Amino acid sequence: MTTPKWINEKEVSTMTGRAVQSLRNDRCQCKGIPYSKIGSSIRYKVEDVVAFMEGHRIIPKREQEGRHDGQRKAA
């Protein structure tokens, strides 16, 4: 069994491209990435951060259809 890796909000900001203040706002509004708080220390599990990003992944329609050349589907 491997021990989960925990990272701080600055590392999450770097990993996701979201501002630290946005992460703080999400916590105040009880939304966003799951986290743990011990005293004033905030930590995020790396796997939760990755899952959050994967859960918000958008796949463009043409990629879903398997076309990358810009051609339209024949009518």
Side-chain angles (χ1 to χ4, degrees):
M1 182 173 161
T2 59
T3 304
K5 175 151 170 72
W6 295 85
I7 57 177
N8 64 34
E9 65 184 3
K10 289 180 183 176
E11 293 169 306
V12 173
S13 176
T14 299
M15 190 173 170
T16 63
R18 299 192 72 222
V20 169
Q21 190 59 51
S22 293
L23 297 171
R24 291 175 181 168
N25 291 342
D26 284 351
R27 290 196 307 266
C28 285
Q29 297 171 12
C30 297
K31 65 179 191 175
I33 305 169
Y35 65 95
S36 291
K37 182 175 181 178
I38 301 171
S40 61
S41 178
I42 302 291
R43 295 291 182 267
Y44 295 86
K45 230 194 262 191
V46 170
E47 58 196 48
D48 287 341
V49 176
V50 171
F52 179 83
M53 295 299 288
E54 288 290 338
H56 288 82
R57 189 168 172 229
I58 297 170
I59 301 171
K61 188 173 182 178
R62 71 169 181 241
E63 188 174 319
Q64 290 174 343
E65 295 172 354
R67 288 190 308 275
H68 302 281
D69 57 6
Q71 293 179 345
R72 296 195 181 268
K73 190 173 184 178

